Amino acid sequence: MSLITSSSPHASVKNNTGAFMRQVIYATLPGLAVLTWQFGWGTVINVLWAVVVALVSEALFLKARGRSIGFYLKDYSAVVTAVLLGLALPPTAPWWLTLVGVSFAIIVAKQLYGGLGMNPFNPAMVGYVLLLISFPVAMTQWISPGDAPSLQQSLQLFAGQLPVDGLSGATPLDTFRTWAGDEAALASHPILHGELAGQGWEWVNLAFLLGGLYLISRKIITWHIPAGFLAGLAAPALVAWLIDPVRFADPLFHMLSGGAMLGAFFIATDPVSAATSRNGRLVYALLIGVLIWVIRSFGGYPDAVAFSVLLLNLSAPFIDYYTQPRTYGHNKPNRGTGS
């Protein structure tokens, strides 16, 4: 038995970035399965194509920078970015939409900043926002829950050979935002009245919740950001709903419709672009949740996870600066002032 000659702390298992990233990918599989069940094969096709685009984009840029392609690709960070963006895209997305979003996320939002660990913003959300602003129609054409097209139809949608209009429908968040305040109209839309929340989307979010709990159980992420995210979203939603339930959706609807659980457990928890101190993670996540509710209720977009995460990515260094833990023997946090 060999002696350990390095200084403590000593890890009892061999962990590396690639191993952690693979666990994240595994945790998305329940959500991917339910998305496929509810909306057809389009999401699987998007994810697979996104992974190919991400790996090729990263390899080409690494080669241009004179870096080892194999060394950097095996950390799986490009694959995670691709999977998260592929999951967020509509299942009706044509091939070129995924190509533009993923390549921009990898090249501009990640590699131009210096690669993994240097990017100030979540690359997947940068790619998503680019697509949402540039191609709003294509980004809002979702399949109606339960009306999943066949594999052949999904491939035709991917290739741009099948019209989307006859297959697409509004999401629960979009429907509620359109008819908020009209009690009769809200009651007449079945998509708003699933077992727990928005029809179809409730099961998608529960699947991502299951995957997120797996990540917490494996200590890939901590509970701080998901808990803060969901609390920040639920608290103002509860207050507003109690005041005016016709104008504002209830907390369960907010948490189980749209990308809430994907955002809470897989996107906001990005270790590079999120706040890092314990208290900072809670503040960071709470503000994301509150901002999502504000944009959903008063802004121009029915779902606001990407915008909220990017805005708080920008604020993460500021939050960390003021939430550093106290240095032992000091009455105030040591903020690196030199005094």
Side-chain angles (χ1 to χ4, degrees), residues 214-234:
Y214 168 80
L215 292 179
I216 293 175
S217 71
R218 296 299 302 268
K219 295 181 169 55
I220 305 300
I221 63 174
T222 65
W223 60 267
H224 302 82
I225 289 179
F229 182 114
L230 296 176
L233 177 58

Side-chain angles (χ1 to χ4, degrees), residues 125-146:
M125 293 300 94
V126 172
Y128 182 88
V129 167
L130 169 76
L131 296 178
L132 186 59
I133 294 173
S134 303
F135 312 103
V137 175
M139 287 292 289
T140 55
Q141 293 178 321
W142 278 84
I143 302 293
S144 298

Side-chain angles (χ1 to χ4, degrees), residues 43-178:
T43 303
V44 174
I45 297 169
N46 286 344
V47 168
L48 293 176
W49 173 233
V51 169
V52 172
V53 173
L55 292 175
V56 171
S57 298
E58 183 134 299
L60 291 175
F61 203 88
L62 288 170
K63 183 176 181 180
R65 295 177 62 195
R67 302 294 181 90
S68 170
I69 295 175
F71 177 80
Y72 286 99
L73 288 187
K74 70 181 181 181
D75 66 16
Y76 282 84
S77 61
V79 177
V80 169
T81 296
V83 169
L84 294 179
L85 185 49
L87 290 169
L89 292 176
T92 59
W95 65 271
W96 57 265
L97 194 73
T98 307
L99 175 66
V100 171
V102 174
S103 59
F104 187 86
I106 296 296
I107 295 173
V108 177
K110 180 184 177 185
Q111 288 297 331
L112 286 183
Y113 281 101
L116 180 65
M118 305 295 290
N119 50 288
F121 301 102
N122 185 299
M125 293 300 94
V126 172
Y128 182 88
V129 167
L130 169 76
L131 296 178
L132 186 59
I133 294 173
S134 303
F135 312 103
V137 175
M139 287 292 289
T140 55
Q141 293 178 321
W142 278 84
I143 302 293
S144 298
D147 294 334
S150 65
L151 176 59
Q152 181 179 359
Q153 288 176 315
S154 296
L155 289 170
Q156 289 176 320
L157 288 168
F158 175 73
Q161 298 174 348
L162 187 66
V164 179
D165 295 342
L167 296 172
S168 63
T171 65
L173 288 172
D174 194 26
T175 302
F176 189 92
R177 176 162 181 76
T178 301

Side-chain angles (χ1 to χ4, degrees), residues 54 88 126 144 191 256 261 264:
V126 172
S144 298
I191 197 170
L256 296 181
M261 294 298 174

Side-chain angles (χ1 to χ4, degrees), residues 122 125 205 209 221-237 251 254-270 274 280-293 296 303-310 312-313:
N122 185 299
M125 293 300 94
N205 277 277
L209 171 61
I221 63 174
T222 65
W223 60 267
H224 302 82
I225 289 179
F229 182 114
L230 296 176
L233 177 58
H254 275 288
M255 290 191 291
L256 296 181
S257 298
M261 294 298 174
L262 180 65
F265 290 95
F266 296 91
I267 295 170
T269 52
D270 174 28
R281 289 196 294 265
L282 286 171
V283 172
Y284 163 85
L286 278 166
L287 290 175
I288 290 176
V290 171
L291 191 55
I292 289 172
W293 179 81
R296 283 181 175 182
D303 200 355
V305 172
F307 291 104
S308 302
V309 168
L310 292 179
L312 267 297
N313 286 165

